[in-house]
Amino acid sequence: MKQFLERVKTTRRGFLKTSAAMACLEISGCSNILHKLTDKPAHVQDERWVSAACWHNCGSRCLNKVLVADGVVVRQKTDDIYPDTKEMPQIRGCLKGRSQRKQVFAEDRLKYPMVRKNWKPGGGGDKSLRGRDEWVRISWDEVLDIIASELKRVKSKYGNRSIMINDSLDNEYKRTLAAFGGFVDVWTSSSYGSWLMTPTLCGYAPVAGMDTANDRTDYENCDTIILVGSNVAWTSFGQAGNTLMQAKLSGTEFIGIDPVFNETYAMLDAEWIPIRPATDIAFMLGIAHTLLVEDDPDKNPLIDWEFLKKNTIGFDAAGMPEGTNKRDNFRDYVLGTYDNCPKDAHWASEICGAGEEQIRKIARKMGVKNKTAFLMSWGVGRNNNVDNLPQLCMTLGAMTGQTGKSGHMTGTCCHIHAANHGPALVKHGSTKLAPLTNPITDVVNEPDHADALCGKPFRDTGAPMLYKWKPCEMRQADIRFMLYGKRSRMQTQLGILKSIDVMRHNVDCIVAPVQFLTNNAYYADIVLPVTTQWEVPGGFLSSSRDILLVYSKVIEPLYEARSDRWIAEEIAKRLGYNDLFPLSDEQMFFNGLAGSTVITADGSGYEPLCTITEEDIERWGVSGTPQKGRIALDELIEHGIYKVPRTQGDPYGFIAFEKFREDPEKYPVKYSESGKFEIYCKELARRVTLMGYSSIEPIPTYIPPLNGYEHTFSDWKNKIKGEYPYQMVTMHYMKRVHSTMDNVKQLGEAFHNPVLISSADAGREDIRTGNTVLISSSVGKTLRTALVTERVMPGCVVMYHGSWTDIDENTGIDYGGSDNILCPAVSTGQGVAGYNSNIVNIKKFSDKPLRPDADKPLRLVGM
Amino acid sequence: MNEDGAVMIVNDEIAVLMECRAFIYKLFQCLSGMEPTPELLSALRHDDTRVALDLLCGDRAEYSDIYTELCAAAETHEGELIGEYTRHFIGPRSLVAPPWESVYRSDEHLLFDKNTLKVREIYKDNGYIPEGYPSVADDHLALELDFMRLLAERLLLAYEAADRDSVYDLYDHTVKFLNEHLLVWVPEYSRRLQGHGVFYPLAALLLCEVLKADKTLLELMRGVF
């Protein structure tokens, strides 16, 4: 102490009180301080479990519960409300859902509105600095004023067609800008690929192929389940896998047709038939041919001739519709009657790589006498030039009669319809917020959006996703203002490098309301912190048809995060629209609850789900009417889930096309002009062809995919490989949901995100597990650590979808393992983005593994 | 500590040291809690600040050079400091050294975890709550330093008033918080900052010096109350 006291000797007491230094600190007025508790009381609640949203676009959606202590989430758990039974399984979360806390409270959450330092209103300043610039914190008031002023400027100078929104189908910003006179919208074939439009025209199904297969109680009635490109164990985690496992336990045989022996096939001990990416149509035509040549109605019945005759058109010459050339029928195409090319197992095998006998075996398994399910994921539709694939799937179902009966099905198996089809048995009500229509009709297909941004002509074909199709009209727009939402399209869509390049030369103002610095935000001018679904009053998540998830607010918005609705409303006010959002968030949530319905006990209709009392309405501070329902409002909120009680043989089962099979005249299918399965679908061919990307036939035919197997050869005839000798598959990964949660380190520690290569190819390329490899395509290069495996078909490499880019600006090499760096921004047919039809090369980059993603600092590039 | 029940004798030198502690914590609270303003930088460079630092850190070999370098950086790079502050404390890119204790206290590297609650409880026990509660994490560096500043100011007042019970109480809280919180994570925070900028890595180094000097001072004070 002495030395301290010695030094003080010459210093007078209180010298700092009057010092200018202290005065300067006082003037600085830092607000990052503590207050007296008496001035700002804390509202502490006891620890409580809250039903918390797991809101991402995965194929499941499960029950997430969090233990909240004074606004901090200290634990998570999942469905433990009712016992786990075969008929009513618990809806348990996966490792992503259980890591939700790590996303919401991540250190890299965007906390404040920020503007790029060298961005300038009125033109954008130096656009080349996007993604490289410094950022400046700005207040909400300032940033909202800037956004409104930019919108007014570009509207008055260039018109509403200079404004573009690239985000989900419906968001709050679209409402604001629709009121403002409209905006250019963006659509995408997205996850669906050709399952987007084809089923809706050939008589098969609504968008996405929903309701093409049976309810989950029926899978164990199948003798054989054939899965094509389906990995529900990862992509529809939980109930779907459980349903298939129950079938397995009851004796169902499983076969997986896929370039990869995936986790689902492993779980189900499925026989694996390796097949090259994007060649499913050839494989299926080989099945059709086998059926035709081996069928003998008496001795070896394989084909359901009665169904074909009664329920389809275009299968054979006799079934061709009026006014068409009879020779254009499907049967003669398959047999090669007129083109001298039988689409037999030999022909198919050369293209798809599956053995001839394997193709024939599948055909026999599907024969009319067997109880078989043939189920495809959307992934096989996410290929170029496979527009007829859903139609061919339907055709095989029709040929073999594996449709319309218990234990028989031919359809889709993915997302929330994985191993569970049929109308929802419980559903939430509407918010009752009246929709606003966008007065501007331009809609850009996502792969064309980079071209549109730099003023090049784009195909305007309407929005097929919303059943709003129109013939292609080439349009041009001078986009000056762009709003990217939370969907991180610049990461999850094709041609990332092209998008970055375009953004560095075009558009005056790019705004990104986001939670994290996704690519859309990384290259934007203005970033706005948006709340997660844990920070809003509540909402619904639809999943399996027999459950409804209801989530509640967990915490107050973190830092300066605001909801999309609040931001959109504030922008609207600054544009002169004060009443655009007349209902409070609480009222909209309440309306959804009050309007929720559940199937009646006898399955004949729907009745209100919630009992709501006067006290509830008063406590919520909303307007509404008391009602009687199945479950008290508070109980539903507390449980966070409603499950329709299910038993085997209950009246809620669903057999796809059951009535249509019985009487197609009385119960025609909704989605075709004829009311029948259109194996010859003129309207499909017409519409696809009129979209201007490429043309197709009215019947399912094999069109070599753009960037498909054939393109891996420089000389197809002599089988000499070309510059990009491998086909690339992009699988959804258990680490993340598309690109969401890729920044959660713990998930990265569990899932290392390698590139998968077959041992045969690895041997040839001198690649070993643990080597760093460079995967390159005509448009990009990325690095990954190799995992050599027998689980991948030779000739293919597997990249996991959604990894965030980490681009070295000097070399252009992506260190993040981003799949879409490698995919060119091209479309075919109905505007399909071909995520699984791409060709690449793979070469050893280093003997050492790449620095693991989990060990890398979060988005630091450019520091 | 003297617990013989005798009346506390107020020593001018100790009061000056207490005053310096409160001032220096306030200075670092501002440095880590707000964009650098000309006023803040002039407070940093003020002669009285050097005096206060000398009084607290005089026994430590490196503090003086670090402080001199920090002041020089503040002058030479004044125009860059807001940008550097933004990169280190605001975002939107991930922060090389996130200024929250929770990030360093568990393998989860999150904000708003059990550690945050512990810090909040300590604040509450002492009658404080963050200005931004509950939207900001309580264990931000600036808030923890503000807590130290508040305790230091109260310790000085109690000491000047010869309020022995309060002095003991505040002293205990101060030592505990310094040892169990700031000194646990700020050295690692500082280590992570090094090499990333011209000003804040130095500020973090100087803060480490201050925290260590304060620990020594507090230990020595134990014998003179």
Side-chain angles (χ1 to χ4, degrees), chain A residues 171-212:
Chain A
N171 71 21
E172 292 82 350
Y173 306 102
K174 290 189 177 179
R175 186 175 182 84
T176 297
L177 293 181
F180 187 55
F183 57 92
V184 175
D185 208 347
V186 178
W187 76 280
T188 166
S189 64
S190 174
S191 304
Y192 307 134
S194 59
W195 286 98
L196 178 69
M197 194 170 81
T198 301
T200 69
L201 297 171
C202 68
Y204 203 16
V207 164
M210 288 182 285
D211 300 350
T212 48

Side-chain angles (χ1 to χ4, degrees), chain A residues 13 19 35 37 70 101 557, chain B residues 12 48 120 127 131 133 135:
Chain A
R13 200 163 146 184
S19 166
H35 268 268
L37 199 48
D70 195 9
R101 187 172 64 89
Chain B
D12 268 6
D48 289 343
R120 183 182 297 170
E131 160 75 10
Y133 170 87
S135 290

Side-chain angles (χ1 to χ4, degrees), chain A residues 583-597:
Chain A
L583 303 176
S584 69
D585 288 335
E586 289 78 7
Q587 182 71 58
M588 289 195 286
F589 182 32
F590 177 84
N591 290 346
L593 287 161
S596 296
T597 51

